[in-house]
């Protein structure tokens, strides 16, 4: 993976375009799992801010994108227009080439988001940290421009870049708490090693730190602004979502008590029911028509971009809750370089069926590739189940499964279908699905 973390290149590029990042109000979210969910909670709820509500624009930058690269840059949860994206991106590339800055694709994408947010006068900008933290391109934002920082669940992932222990990875992630940051919140369900690192990082810059309730049994959220909140059923699936919501609400609570925003409890609940975050425990109805038999079937798919061990554990909990011990058909692809055992151990059982496939090139991330399907198949056969097959053409995978259910009377073949292993796989499958629907 050709990734060279650092802030000097993106700093130089932003300097050439007037440093728009220094004029934004930013909410900065880091962690291993749950960052996207926190960003989604914040972006939907902040739309109900009554302070300057007539002109409120909420920018959000997340990565990777799910279907199109413009999905990663939104204002009021609407993707950046493609023509505007191409214009800003082209201008930045010209500057990058002219001054030989050697900015990476992710740095160019980050600059595109920052320039666009400034251009359309976003009141607040929610930035999800990419691979890193301390040296991640999004951390070019000065601490004085960060209204708050949030740190979600931290686990082992990207060890070759961030470190081989939770403590090392936490130090990198906590690097978003820079001088000038006044408030930070960390998911209290984290390992004590992680919490200790975040405590020290906050103390070093004089930042107020809140550690959220780390217990899953109690679904309430204590706030200064709205008292004890009981959100009930959350719009996003997974028992861990209460931890992500607590991080988001803690940030909003701080902004409310600081008189930065004005949101009623009713507005907060309205925003919460609007929240969507596709690709994470996402249900999709895939319709397939058999022209020869003039029959149609709808497959119910569960999509989840689980890409590391801790995310796989949470996915496994959800699947056991949903399907018990029923065998599952997994459609699986994994990014090259990932450790397979931590990702697959929680998920695969001997009575499951696994269809190994791959995703294609990822727009804006040329270094990302899928693990060779035959290599992945061999690993699964040796470790989990012999009921595994290779289908390298993803576009044929779902029609084949639908056709099976049309032609077989063997109920054992009609297993729940789960697509997982990589968000890139989920995104490509959704592109195929949307293309079939004519979208």
């Amino acid at each position: 993976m050709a990734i060279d973390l650092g802030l000097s290149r993106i700093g130089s590029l932003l300097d050439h375009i007037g440093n728009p990042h220094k004029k934004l109000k930013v909410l900065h979210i880091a962690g291993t799992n749950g960052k996207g969910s926190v960003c989604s909670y914040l972006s939907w709820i902040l739309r109900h801010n009554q302070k300057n509500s007539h002109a409120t624009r909420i920018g959000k930058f997340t990565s990777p994108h799910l279907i199109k690269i413009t999905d990663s840059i939104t204002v009021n949860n609407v993707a950046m227009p493609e023509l505007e994206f191409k214009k800003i991106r082209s201008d930045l590339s010209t500057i990058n080439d002219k001054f030989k800055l050697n900015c990476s694709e992710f740095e160019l994408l980050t600059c595109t988001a920052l320039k666009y947010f400034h251009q359309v006068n976003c009141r607040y900008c929610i930035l999800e940290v990419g691979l890193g933290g301390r040296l991640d391109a999004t951390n070019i934002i000065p601490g004085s421009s960060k209204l708050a920082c949030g740190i979600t669940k931290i686990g082992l992932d990207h060890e070759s870049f961030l470190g081989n222990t939770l403590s090392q990875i936490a130090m990198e992630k906590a690097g978003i708490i820079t001088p000038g940051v006044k408030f930070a919140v960390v998911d209290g369900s984290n390992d004590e090693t992680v919490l200790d690192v975040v405590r020290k990082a906050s103390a070093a810059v004089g930042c107020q730190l809140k550690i959220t309730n780390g217990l899953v049994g109690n679904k309430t959220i204590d706030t200064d602004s709205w008292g004890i909140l009981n959100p009930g059923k959350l719009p996003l699936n997974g028992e861990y979502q209460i931890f992500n919501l607590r991080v988001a609400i803690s940030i909003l609570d701080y902004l409310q008590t600081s008189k930065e925003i004005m949101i009623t409890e009713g507005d907060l609940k309205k925003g919460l029911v609007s929240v969507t975050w596709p690709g994470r425990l996402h249900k999709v109805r895939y319709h397939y028509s058999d022209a020869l038999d003039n029959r149609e079937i709808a497959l119910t798919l569960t999509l989840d971009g689980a890409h590391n061990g801790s995310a796989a554990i949470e996915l496994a909990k959800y699947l056991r809750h949903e399907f018990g011990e029923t065998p599952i058909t997994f459609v699986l692809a994994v990014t090259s370089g990932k450790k397979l055992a931590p990702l697959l151990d929680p998920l695969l059982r001997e009575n499951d069926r696994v269809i190994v496939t791959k995703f294609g090139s990822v727009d804006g991330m040329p270094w990302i590739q899928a693990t060779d399907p035959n290599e992945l198949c061999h690993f699964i056969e040796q470790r989990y189940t012999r009921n595994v097959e290779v289908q390298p053409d993803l576009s044929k995978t779902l029609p084949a499964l639908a056709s099976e259910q049309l032609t077989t009377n063997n109920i054992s073949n009609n297993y729940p279908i789960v697509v997982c292993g990589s968000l890139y796989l989920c995104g490509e499958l959704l592109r195929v699905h949307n293309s079939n629907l004519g979208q």
Side-chain angles (χ1 to χ4, degrees), residues 72 110 207 209 244 290 331 377 386:
S72 62
T110 302
C207 172
L209 176 67
N244 297 331
D290 189 318
V331 177
C377 178
R386 304 290 295 179

Side-chain angles (χ1 to χ4, degrees), residues 17 93 97 115 139 194 214 268 288 412:
I17 61 172
S93 293
D97 294 340
K115 180 172 175 57
N139 207 30
V194 170
L268 191 152
Y288 172 76
S412 66

